[in-house]
């Protein structure tokens, strides 16, 4: 074999070895997410060592994530740690007083370690903060079975870049894409002079899902034999009590999801005097 050919092969071999190493970082995918939306993000953890396994990974969160769900990964545990907010954040369900600080993943046995030449993915479901045109950094700490710790916390140009998410603004949506409430039955704040057999919330277009619940004046839940979208008209969410509603004051709560994924909810009250 000629010296020139040997040199070329050696160069190609070096490239083949270097290419995977250059990409072997802890990353989040997809890299781009939409502001103020729910979505799934996967943390991919490769093993960069030749003779030792990865036994734990910690993912640290920036500010603005108030809850997160983790996908079960066989052979690994996931523990979510929260931190207190200096100032509570108002929401429709009450003040939010803490946010996600970190998630710690640990292999349960040696057989579950991420071994050389392998990677593992850890799925997350969470609401993205309403911070369009921002890049969010998620430092990570990877611990190997020999005690070595690698901190993925440098900028993108550094040796150990932190996983990041690029947050973009939502695409413009026409106002008609949502399906606001059109009417309710019985009418809001009305008095009915006969027993009420069902209650309905009618929207301006078809809905994906919908539910209705009813409570009486004392706050007790009224038993329903059915609640949901009408099969004959997907724009109507109907609740049917097990027996017609007689004299009293009632509060109806509804929740529905539009065809574009937008969720809406509301309440109304009425009286029955028979």
């Amino acid at each position: 074999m000629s010296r020139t050919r040997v040199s070329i092969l050696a160069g190609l071999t070096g490239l083949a070895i270097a290419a995977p190493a250059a990409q072997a970082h802890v990353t989040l995918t997809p890299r781009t997410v939409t502001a103020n939306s729910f979505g799934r993000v996967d943390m991919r953890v490769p093993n960069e060592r030749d003779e030792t396994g990865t036994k734990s990974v910690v993912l640290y969160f920036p500010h603005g994530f108030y809850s997160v769900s983790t996908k079960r990964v066989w052979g690994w545990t996931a523990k979510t740690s929260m931190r207190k907010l200096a100032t509570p954040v108002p929401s429709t369900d009450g003040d939010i007083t803490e946010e996600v600080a970190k998630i710690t993943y640990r292999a349960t046995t040696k057989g579950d370690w991420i071994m050389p030449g392998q990677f593992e993915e850890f799925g997350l479901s969470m609401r993205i903060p309403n911070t369009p045109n921002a890049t969010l950094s998620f430092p990570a700490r990877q611990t190997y079975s020999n005690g070595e710790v690698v901190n993925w916390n440098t900028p993108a140009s550094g040796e150990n870049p932190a996983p990041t998410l690029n947050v973009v603004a939502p695409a413009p949506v026409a106002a008609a894409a949502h399906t606001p409430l059109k009417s309710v039955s019985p009418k809001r704040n009305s008095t009915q002079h006969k027993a009420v057999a069902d209650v309905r919330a009618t929207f301006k277009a078809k809905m994906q899902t919908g539910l209705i619940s009813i409570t009486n004046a004392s706050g007790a839940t009224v038993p329903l034999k059915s609640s949901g979208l009408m099969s004959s008209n997907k724009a109507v969410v109907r609740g049917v009590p097990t027996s017609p509603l007689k004299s009293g004051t009632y509060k109806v709560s509804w929740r529905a999801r539009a065809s574009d994924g937008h969720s809406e909810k509301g309440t109304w009250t009425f009286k029955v005097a028979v």
Side-chain angles (χ1 to χ4, degrees), residues 6-25:
V6 169
S7 298
I8 292 174
L9 289 175
L12 291 175
T13 302
L15 288 175
I17 295 174
Q23 299 173 3
H25 304 316

Side-chain angles (χ1 to χ4, degrees), residues 170-194:
V173 178
H178 298 332
T179 52
L181 188 65
K182 180 180 179 181
S183 63
V184 296
S185 175
K187 290 183 178 181
R188 192 183 306 272
N189 300 324
S190 66
T191 299
Q192 305 298 307
H193 297 289
K194 63 179 181 179

Side-chain angles (χ1 to χ4, degrees), residues 193-263:
H193 297 289
K194 63 179 181 179
V196 174
D198 67 3
V199 297
R200 303 185 184 194
T202 301
F203 298 85
K204 293 183 179 180
K206 292 181 179 180
M207 305 297 284
Q208 287 185 346
T209 60
L211 288 173
I212 271 182
S213 63
I214 307 172
T215 54
N216 59 26
S218 63
T221 300
V222 175
L224 303 179
K225 59 183 178 182
S226 66
S227 174
L229 294 177
M230 291 184 62
S231 58
S232 59
N233 186 350
K234 296 296 185 180
V236 178
V237 182
R238 181 176 67 168
V240 181
T242 54
S243 59
L245 302 177
K246 297 183 179 180
S247 294
T249 299
Y250 298 93
K251 178 181 178 181
V252 183
S253 300
W254 59 267
R255 183 185 295 271
R257 183 180 296 275
S259 58
D260 64 352
H262 180 76
S263 293

